[in-house]
Amino acid sequence: MEAAATTCYRHPSYEAYVRCTRCDRYICPDCMREASVGHHCVECVKEGQRSVRQARSLFGGAVTGATAPVVTYVLMALNIVAYVVEVFRSATVDRFGMLGAVLVDPSGGQYYYKGETYPGLELTGVADGEWYRLLTGAFLHLPPDASFGVMHLLFNMLALWNLGRVVEGQLGRARYLALYLLSAVGGSVLVYLVSPETTAVGASGAIFGLAASFYVISRRLGRDMRAVNRFMAGFLLWMVISAAFTSWEGHLGGLLTGGLVTYGLAYAPARLRTSATQLAGGVVLVVVLAAVVALRTAALTGA
């Protein structure tokens, strides 16, 4: 008596003579996946991929390999979109730029704030509770009619393109995004401490944070530091030169914050290099920055 033909468990209309070496079910050629021994079915391959622990970089982030630097692309897009909004709505910088504390009259004129308000003048800035300026200012740039104009945006986006891809690949998307935002806020906090009456805009604080991160990463990975040192020397020289038309405080604050964050990721003991511990460290840094802002506000307003 002739034995009944065996069929593929996924395609019952196809005869099959090969079994999956893991689940022992019959599979047709369309369902075969080559394995080290024999063939696996589609479901067993998926189950195996889920059970394999994802590779992590030295800094705790998932190894992205050839994956596109999605976060860098998104950050560049946000900066460009914000600039287009600036072009059509010139009041955007006044409304969302980093500004610590000034008095503003009904016509938009600004005056130094010395801890007192006067009739007809309104306190504006972080000191008046506009904390969002600490972050939104980092996505704005000098308007086209300024002395540096659109070049401010172009230079920052070029630096973000070159640095962001490298840092994102090493830290992973989540840690890279956290580093970028913390560096941006860190730069704004230093602006608030030193020059609260100055309006500051630009991604430069975050960019300098990425530069510091690149330096720390290179040292931690044991790379040849000669080229890296030359690169950092150029960045520091740019900080000095650009002080004539941008905020050196934002640059320095971002540099220090980015270096501190990456140092913690790179040199923490292995047992502390977990997602939960790193998240807790980021929360602590946010709390510290918030406390600094609150103390500076109290000093300015006398509250």
Side-chain angles (χ1 to χ4, degrees), residues 156-194:
N156 277 342
M157 293 303 98
L158 179 61
L160 177 55
W161 168 251
N162 286 311
L163 284 169
R165 291 177 297 165
V166 177
V167 177
E168 182 176 350
Q170 289 296 330
L171 299 187
R173 291 171 180 169
R175 289 164 180 79
Y176 168 69
L177 178 60
L179 169 75
Y180 186 94
L181 297 178
L182 286 170
S183 298
V185 173
S188 295
V189 169
L190 190 58
V191 172
Y192 189 40
L193 289 175
V194 179

Side-chain angles (χ1 to χ4, degrees), residues 141-268:
H141 288 80
L142 293 174
D145 57 351
S147 57
F148 195 41
V150 70
M151 297 304 295
H152 188 209
L153 174 70
L154 294 178
F155 279 2
N156 277 342
M157 293 303 98
L158 179 61
L160 177 55
W161 168 251
N162 286 311
L163 284 169
R165 291 177 297 165
V166 177
V167 177
E168 182 176 350
Q170 289 296 330
L171 299 187
R173 291 171 180 169
R175 289 164 180 79
Y176 168 69
L177 178 60
L179 169 75
Y180 186 94
L181 297 178
L182 286 170
S183 298
V185 173
S188 295
V189 169
L190 190 58
V191 172
Y192 189 40
L193 289 175
V194 179
S195 305
E197 73 286 347
T198 303
T199 299
V201 293
S204 304
I207 300 299
F208 271 80
L210 295 184
S213 179
F214 172 67
Y215 179 83
V216 174
I217 287 171
S218 299
R219 286 192 66 86
R220 186 67 179 87
L221 295 178
R223 292 173 176 168
D224 184 356
M225 294 303 293
R226 288 174 293 183
V228 177
N229 289 336
R230 288 194 296 270
F231 170 80
M232 288 304 298
F235 247 81
L236 295 176
L237 179 62
W238 171 245
M239 181 193 296
V240 175
I241 295 174
S242 63
F245 43 83
T246 59
S247 170
W248 66 266
E249 300 94 336
H251 294 177
L252 181 59
L255 184 80
L256 295 175
T257 305
L260 176 64
V261 170
T262 311
Y263 188 88
L265 294 175
Y267 290 97

